Amino acid sequence: MPLNEKAPATRLMQGNEASAEGALAAGVRFYAGYPITPSSEIAEVLAYRLPAFDGTFIQMEDEIASMGAIIGASLAGAKAMTATSGPGFSLMQENIGYACMAEVPCVVVNVMRVGPSTGMPTAPAQGDVQQARWGTHGDHPIIVLSPWSVRECFDLTVRSVNLAEKYRTPVILLMDEVVGHMRENVVLPDPASIPIVNRVTPTVPPEWYIPYEDNPSGVPAMSHFGAGYRHHVTGLHHDVRGFPTLREDEVEDLNKRLFRKISDNLRDIQQVEAYALDDAEIVVVAYGSVARSAKRAVVEARAAGRKVGLLRLITLWPFCRRALERVFPQAKVLVVPEMNRGQMSREVKRVNQGRAEVRTVNRTVGRLIRPDEIMAVF
Amino acid sequence: MIDRYEIRLSGTGGQGVVLAGIILAEAAGRWREGQYVAQTVSYGPQVRGGMSSAEVVVSSSEIDYPRPISLDLLVPFTQAAATEGVPLLKPKGLVLMDPELVHHSTGWVAEIPLTQLARESTGRIQMINVVALGAMSVLTPVIDPESLKAALDERAPKKARESFHKAALAGQEAALKIRDRIFFEEGAGHED
């Protein structure tokens, strides 16, 4: 058999490697992290590759410092990222809240393993779905994306960086061990074809700059430290100039704007994939590697004449309520398989409001849910 | 057209099963045209010892579930790997095993003395994974000797390239010889 002529362009890579390549393609030039299984390959690839891009890689003393470092780098103008797994993600939570409050664009990749605590480091889980949403204290919006393939690890890392820049917010890329460690043959896109978003920077003279002034998009222009614009950054509730305030009107304005910049743009942020949904009476709602088991289950059930479809969540937060509501006219049963004890099925039940019957498939034994385990509840 | 050809290589951490899985996936997914591959691993936190396995699914169409459903080929490097893997085989699934490492298996068995061939061809028993890949290039439809050679050339350190070739060739020749002598070992859980 002749050899594949396109072999040089085709690469066999892990999801973690693809995520690192996606970061570079999106313009990430600063990475600070503390390696942890099953995310370590992201740090490994970036440690090796970033210097060639004039970028910076720092291995930090822990994940608290890693998160602090990427916030600092981002405030200084760099696109910054870190990667971790459950235990490290817990440590990052306080500073993630700081990034939400101070509106610092940054990307946190969490390759989920089984918890709680050290759990099973080399085994897959999806136990951090609610932590990604509510891990940091206080009310805050957050963007969380979840890939299901190696190619999508690349694409969604690019998208995470772009969304972080566009909305001045931390974005969490929630992978799982299967997706992170799996190798697939992929052809990465031509760099020129990749859309790149950069944060909006101030164009007014420095003395006119009001760092947190509202505008129609809800996303204020962001000045870099050292760019000549006075810019105070704090985790305290602040006024439009960035200084602490307890005034109710100013606090309320800030709270509303932080939510509005996300909730006004759900169409841009929320992404789902529908498969065989048109006449589906049983709809599987899944994400990450489990969605691949679900796809197999749907393909096999369809072959057996069952009216089954798949709604794959690519954006996990903000929860894709509208996409789910579109399946209700004909959906009688919703099936939510997850490698946790039912973290996303809560959301599905909340939106469902008793309209369809919700069935859950939950496994937390450190193994990808098999298609037959999902088919068993069809 | 190949619809989900599933292979599992398994043994003890340090035996090179994951590397063999990667080379196999490269040969099937990069050097052969029109094939999708998904390669997954399972291993414990230890560096040496403990069960370690690499699974490769190859298909002409996009792969949904990336882990094996029922194996077409099992390559166990320990008895435990054989005992655990055999129940996952398809009815016509094949076990490629080295009698020096695996004493007993059931189902369709291709016996190749991988360790002995590695020792004879390269002087290093660590090359059993490459010998196994050579045998697989004859026994499976998803790779062939040419695509395997291309994948090995890229992966092998320059100094070791010749031993990689020798080991793969030894595996190929042995597999060609026994291809018509694959036998069925009676055991529980198998139907033809």
Side-chain angles (χ1 to χ4, degrees), chain A residues 345-363:
Chain A
S345 59
R346 289 166 169 268
E347 288 304 303
V348 172
K349 286 172 184 167
R350 176 177 68 80
V351 173
N352 181 48
Q353 303 261 357
R355 280 176 278 195
E357 183 192 340
V358 180
R359 298 175 189 164
T360 58
V361 179
N362 304 110
R363 297 286 183 279

Side-chain angles (χ1 to χ4, degrees), chain A residues 39 114 210 359 361:
Chain A
S39 75
V114 185
I210 302 171
R359 298 175 189 164
V361 179

Side-chain angles (χ1 to χ4, degrees), chain A residues 1 3-4 6-8 10-12 37 122 181-185 292-293 295-296 299 368-371, chain B residues 4 22 25-26 29-33 35-39 43-44 63-67 69 144 146-147:
Chain A
M1 180 165 293
L3 291 177
N4 182 11
K6 284 175 268 171
T10 311
R11 294 175 64 180
L12 181 80
T37 302
T122 57
H181 277 162
M182 174 170 58
R183 288 184 179 80
E184 292 186 289
N185 48 345
R292 296 177 70 136
S293 313
K295 171 93 178 279
R296 182 77 200 171
V299 167
L368 179 58
I369 295 175
R370 293 191 311 265
Chain B
R4 290 190 77 92
I22 294 171
E26 285 191 329
R30 288 186 59 210
W31 298 101
R32 286 274 290 258
E33 219 175 317
Q35 292 187 154
Y36 292 85
V37 297
Q39 183 254 329
Y43 63 101
I63 295 164
D64 37 49
Y65 183 61
R67 306 221 9 122
I69 295 171
D144 54 73
E146 287 74 39
S147 57

Side-chain angles (χ1 to χ4, degrees), chain B residues 53-134:
Chain B
S53 70
E55 281 101 5
V56 182
V57 179
V58 185
S59 191
S60 303
S61 55
E62 248 178 271
I63 295 164
D64 37 49
Y65 183 61
R67 306 221 9 122
I69 295 171
S70 52
L71 295 171
D72 291 272
L73 177 64
L74 172 70
V75 188
F77 288 162
T78 61
Q79 180 61 49
T83 310
E84 199 190 291
V86 165
L88 307 175
L89 282 162
K90 286 199 174 94
K92 289 232 167 176
L94 181 67
V95 184
L96 166 59
M97 63 174 231
D98 177 355
E100 206 172 311
L101 299 172
V102 179
H103 308 294
H104 176 70
S105 177
T106 54
W108 291 96
V109 174
E111 270 190 10
I112 295 182
L114 303 171
T115 315
Q116 188 193 330
L117 290 171
R119 202 183 294 121
E120 285 170 7
S121 62
T122 68
R124 300 178 61 224
I125 59 166
Q126 289 93 324
M127 297 296 273
I128 53 166
N129 55 353
V130 181
V131 178
L133 284 170

Side-chain angles (χ1 to χ4, degrees), chain A residues 2-29:
Chain A
L3 291 177
N4 182 11
E5 285 174 11
K6 284 175 268 171
T10 311
R11 294 175 64 180
L12 181 80
M13 50 194 330
Q14 282 188 320
N16 283 343
E17 295 176 71
S19 175
E21 292 297 333
L24 292 170
V28 169
R29 295 295 176 266

